[in-house]
Amino acid sequence: QVPLVESGGGLVQAGGSLRLSCAASETILSIAAMGWYRQISGNELELVAIINSGGSTRYADSVKGRFTISRTENTVAHQMNSLKPEATAVHYCAALLCGTKYGEVGHYWGQGTQVTVSP
């Protein structure tokens, strides 16, 4: 069973909006934090936004005021507004410090979803 399933990427014009969603499988019983990372072509993976189980959030400076992250117990959503072309990247959902029904503890990553912002 795939640990995390992402949806919502695609192509949008500059200034537009996209909403990414990610759902954890039923085998994951607890998640300390969920977030979104992105990898712009040729660059390192960078944190975009993260939210912990208490609802505290942290955003990259470049997206503050434009992106909003939210979560339920095992899903996370990412509303991205006023998108800019330089935001074109593969976005990855992350679930950190997870406990599973098998007694395992670890981090999990989604398969990645492409977000393309045209000028």
Side-chain angles (χ1 to χ4, degrees):
Q1 194 170 13
V2 178
L4 299 176
V5 177
E6 302 163 345
S7 61
L11 173 65
V12 66
Q13 287 188 328
S17 299
L18 279 176
R19 183 178 177 86
L20 304 182
S21 298
C22 175
S25 78
E26 61 181 7
T27 61
I28 298 176
L29 302 181
S30 64
I31 306 173
M34 297 187 80
W36 292 92
Y37 291 72
R38 68 185 179 190
Q39 185 169 32
I40 299 171
S41 181
N43 292 349
E44 296 181 349
L45 199 64
E46 62 174 352
L47 174 67
V48 181
I50 194 165
I51 182 168
N52 66 16
S53 57
S56 296
T57 59
R58 181 158 61 100
Y59 296 91
D61 288 342
S62 60
V63 307
K64 285 179 181 177
R66 299 185 295 115
F67 290 12
T68 303
I69 190 170
S70 59
R71 68 173 286 189
T72 63
E73 186 172 347
N74 61 353
T75 67
V76 63
H78 195 186
Q79 180 66 39
M80 303 184 293
N81 298 328
S82 302
L83 283 162
K84 303 176 181 179
E86 53 265 37
T88 294
V90 179
H91 289 241
Y92 296 91
C93 175
L96 308 177
L97 289 176
C98 301
T100 75
K101 63 189 294 184
Y102 307 112
E104 300 163 331
V105 177
H107 307 320
Y108 294 95
W109 295 86
Q111 74 278 13
T113 184
Q114 178 69 44
V115 170
T116 302
V117 184
S118 63

